[in-house]
């Protein structure tokens, strides 16, 4: 985890992020969703965020804001509304990162 | 699937709430005695949750004006502003509000909710970008559902979070419209408006500021945060309500935009609902005069805020970040908040209880709103009562760990 915020590290971080693999995107999403996991069932690409986890709609929007800043993209609210699964969220993030 | 199945979770939460005995969403004011007292459950109760910041609901001059207007023009207009519902007085009220702000134009709506809903969804249209604070009021969120624009949230009161989102838009076409509030209704905190305005200027974004809770309270003339932050000229649209400081109902928007009047034939929440009744227009016009003539109400309000905020803080309550006409008291969870609220009501004090999903970051709050005509004694009494209840619930700062931890 890079914590320094001087210019150099920021640039490095950015490069790392745009070249990020799907696995890394999923890992970042899961890191945010972990606190909302129920029981023993692991969070996978098929996990339906609003249904299989104990996260409410406001917390989903707050998580999206964190992901936006991590990947330096913006995900409009109407796009968020169409996202149901972890895979779909990862697709959106990858698509927006590619367009950046 | 039944019609209400999708509300299963909410129904469950609501059932929890009702197990405390009273339903906070169905409290009845059996008789309102004054801006600060009412009979609730047969008992005389101190009101500290009414948004009635200047206590003008019982101002004799406002009441007289309303009564006179009813005698002269009847009880209602029975029509919208674009049909038979524009009276000379509606137009006069618009001129007076525009003058109050030193702006060229004003439009009056039937509620503040409708002002935000219609204005925001109309100003930001297809191809535009609407940027809203994460803690925005429901009326702003609902406007986002109606707009054709792309909507992005930024972190509450965080100009750098807004800047990041404006920067990411790059040179994409479309207007950028940013919505802010003067004072936020849950925790009573104000926006860092100057910093926000600097960011908006840098990226050429339009700014809408909702002064619902700051009208009267902030600024040398009570115009709100735009005035106290010295950025009146940089705010393209200022929205507000008559339902709080002005003690009635209704909403407004002021602006210097030369094409402002086009909104009168495009904003549907203005066009397709009946206009304010004459009595309301009259009492609001008078209330505005009172706000101008009695700056001491503002002084009194802030002195009362200090009494309540500092009183509670000294006892160890966890409060909103700064003094404000709304004092938000944090409690550990929904059930404690509801229980605390009910204990206060039993002790003769009414405040609002706010629990998720209606609150930011899932917090549970007692939302106290201070009134200029509360007496110091009333507020000191409230601090004492709340401290007693807090001891029973074990929620004061120094005890949080032991008692609340044990209850989990
Ligand atoms: C920030 C904010 N905007 C708008 C409104 C709506 O005001 P009104 O009561 O006039 O519909 C409120 C009141 O709840 C509010 O808190």
């Amino acid at each position: 985890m890079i914590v320094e915020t001087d210019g150099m590290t920021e640039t490095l971080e950015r490069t790392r992020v745009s070249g990020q693999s799907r696995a890394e995107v999923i890992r970042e999403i899961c890191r945010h969703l972990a606190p909302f996991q129920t029981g023993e069932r692991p969070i996978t690409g098929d996990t339906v965020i609003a249904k299989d986890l104990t996260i409410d709609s406001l917390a989903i929007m707050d998580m999206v804001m964190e992901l936006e800043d991590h990947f330096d993209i913006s995900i409009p609210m109407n796009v968020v509304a169409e996202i149901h699964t972890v895979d779909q969220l990862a697709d959106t993030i990858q698509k927006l990162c590619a367009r950046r | 699937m039944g019609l209400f199945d999708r509300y299963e979770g909410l129904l469950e939460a609501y059932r929890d709430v009702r197990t405390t005995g009273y339903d906070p969403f169905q409290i009845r004011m059996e008789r309102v005695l004054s801006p600060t007292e009412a009979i609730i459950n047969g008992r005389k109760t101190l009101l500290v949750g009414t948004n009635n910041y200047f206590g003008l609901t019982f101002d004799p001059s406002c009441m007289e004006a309303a009564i006179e207007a009813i005698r002269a023009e009847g009880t209602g207009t029975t029509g919208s502003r674009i049909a038979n519902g524009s009276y000379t007085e509606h137009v006069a009220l618009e001129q007076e509000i525009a003058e109050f702000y030193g702006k060229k134009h004003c439009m009056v709506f039937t509620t503040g909710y409708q002002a935000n809903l219609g204005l925001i969804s109309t100003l930001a249209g297809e191809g535009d970008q609407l940027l809203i604070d994460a803690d925005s009021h429901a009326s702003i969120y609902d406007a986002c559902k109606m707009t054709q624009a792309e909507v992005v949230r930024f972190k509450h009161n965080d100009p750098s979070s807004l800047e990041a989102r404006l920067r990411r838009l790059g040179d994409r076409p479309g207007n950028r419209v940013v919505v802010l509030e003067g004072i936020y209704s849950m925790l009573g905190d104000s926006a860092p408006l100057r910093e926000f305005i600097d960011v908006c200027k840098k990226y050429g974004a339009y700014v809408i500021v909702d002064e619902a809770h700051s009208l009267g309270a902030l600024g040398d003339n009570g115009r709100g945060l735009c005035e106290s932050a010295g950025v009146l000229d940089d705010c393209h649209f200022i929205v507000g309500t008559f339902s709080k400081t002005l003690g009635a109902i209704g909403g407004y928007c002021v602006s210097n935009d030369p094409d402002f009047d086009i909104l009168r034939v495009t904003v549907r929440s203005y066009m397709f609902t009946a206009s304010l009744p004459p009595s309301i227009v009259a009492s609001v016009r008078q209330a505005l005069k009172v706000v101008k003539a009695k700056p001491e109400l503002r002084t009194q309000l802030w002195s009362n805020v200090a009494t309540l905020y500092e009183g509670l803080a000294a006892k160890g309550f966890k409060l909103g970040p700064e003094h404000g006409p709304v004092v938000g008291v944090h409690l550990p969870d929904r059930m404690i908040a509801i229980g605390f609220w009910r204990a206060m009501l039993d002790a003769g004090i009414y405040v609002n209880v706010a629990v998720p999903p209606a609150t930011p970051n899932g917090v549970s709050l007692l939302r106290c709103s201070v009134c200029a005509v509360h007496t110091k004694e009333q507020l000191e009494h409230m601090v004492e009562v709340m401290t007693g209840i807090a001891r029973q619930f074990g929620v004061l700062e120094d005890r949080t760990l032991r008692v609340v931890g044990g209850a989990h």
Side-chain angles (χ1 to χ4, degrees), chain A:
Chain A
M1 191 70 204
I2 300 170
V3 285
E4 302 95 311
T5 53
D6 61 278
M8 192 55 196
T9 3
E10 228 171 53
T11 320
L12 283 174
E13 169 92 328
R14 211 78 36 90
T15 331
R16 198 176 63 83
V17 163
S18 18
Q20 217 152 30
S21 70
R22 172 126 193 134
E24 280 174 291
V25 173
I26 298 259
R27 198 175 315 130
E28 184 60 23
I29 295 171
C30 289
R31 197 169 69 78
H32 284 283
L33 290 178
F36 304 100
Q37 198 173 348
T38 48
E40 292 301 299
R41 238 166 87 203
I43 299 173
T44 67
D46 292 335
T47 300
V48 179
I49 299 169
K51 221 172 96 210
D52 300 342
L53 305 172
T54 59
I55 187 166
D56 64 34
S57 56
L58 197 62
I60 291 178
M61 291 200 290
D62 289 343
M63 172 190 70
V64 166
M65 250 179 347
E66 297 296 337
L67 291 169
E68 286 180 327
D69 290 334
H70 181 83
F71 294 108
D72 200 28
I73 53 173
S74 290
I75 315 176
M77 274 168 67
N78 54 318
V79 174
V80 176
E82 306 277 301
I83 294 172
H84 300 291
T85 65
V86 168
D87 267 337
Q88 289 168 347
L89 180 54
D91 288 344
T92 305
I93 291 173
Q94 283 198 302
K95 207 169 70 202
L96 289 168
C97 282
R99 216 191 282 163
R100 199 174 49 204

Side-chain angles (χ1 to χ4, degrees), chain B residues 7-214:
Chain B
Y7 301 114
E8 194 70 52
L10 196 60
L11 277 174
E12 219 167 275
Y14 194 30
R15 243 175 262 130
D16 278 357
V17 164
R18 282 189 294 199
T19 57
T20 61
Y22 300 141
D23 179 345
F25 306 113
Q26 291 199 26
I27 276 292
R28 204 153 18 97
M29 300 278 157
E30 282 146 26
R31 203 152 60 83
V32 176
L33 306 171
S34 75
T36 59
E37 284 180 325
I39 307 287
I40 301 176
N41 297 323
R43 172 188 178 136
K44 195 172 188 184
T45 303
L46 174 63
L47 302 175
V48 194
T50 61
N51 310 302
N52 196 355
Y53 301 122
F54 278 13
L56 294 186
T57 48
F58 280 82
D59 179 276
S61 71
C62 297
M63 287 163 76
E64 276 315 310
I67 292 162
E68 229 173 83
I70 290 189
R71 291 204 194 287
E73 299 196 289
T75 51
T77 68
T78 67
S80 94
R81 291 296 308 278
I82 58 164
N84 57 304
S86 274
Y87 293 11
T88 304
E89 289 77 11
H90 291 93
V91 179
L93 172 59
E94 288 180 339
Q95 279 164 359
E96 285 157 13
I97 297 171
E99 262 165 45
F100 177 65
Y101 282 97
K103 297 270 187 192
K104 291 200 182 72
H105 309 282
C106 173
M107 239 169 118
V108 162
F109 292 78
T110 305
T111 68
Y113 175 87
Q114 289 168 354
N116 273 339
L117 191 71
L119 191 82
I120 295 168
S121 62
T122 305
L123 285 174
E126 193 165 358
D128 293 337
Q129 271 86 31
L130 184 58
L131 299 104
I132 67 163
D133 186 286
D135 290 2
S136 289
H137 186 255
S139 54
I140 298 169
Y141 271 104
D142 289 356
C144 293
K145 290 190 181 163
M146 287 176 55
T147 179
Q148 303 292 310
E150 258 183 31
V151 185
V152 172
R153 298 161 86 224
F154 53 87
K155 287 189 184 158
H156 175 56
N157 274 353
D158 184 346
S160 70
S161 179
L162 169 65
E163 171 149 25
R165 280 149 184 79
L166 284 167
R167 171 180 54 73
R168 286 173 201 150
L169 289 171
D171 53 8
R172 285 180 54 193
N175 295 315
R176 282 86 167 118
V177 181
V178 174
V179 186
L180 305 164
E181 291 175 35
I183 291 177
Y184 283 82
S185 60
M186 286 294 159
L187 292 169
D189 49 336
S190 320
L193 191 55
R194 240 173 211 287
E195 291 83 347
F196 271 127
I197 292 283
D198 287 343
V199 171
C200 291
K201 276 188 176 164
K202 183 170 164 195
Y203 291 89
Y206 291 95
V207 186
I208 303 175
V209 182
D210 180 351
E211 300 269 21
H213 296 270
S214 31

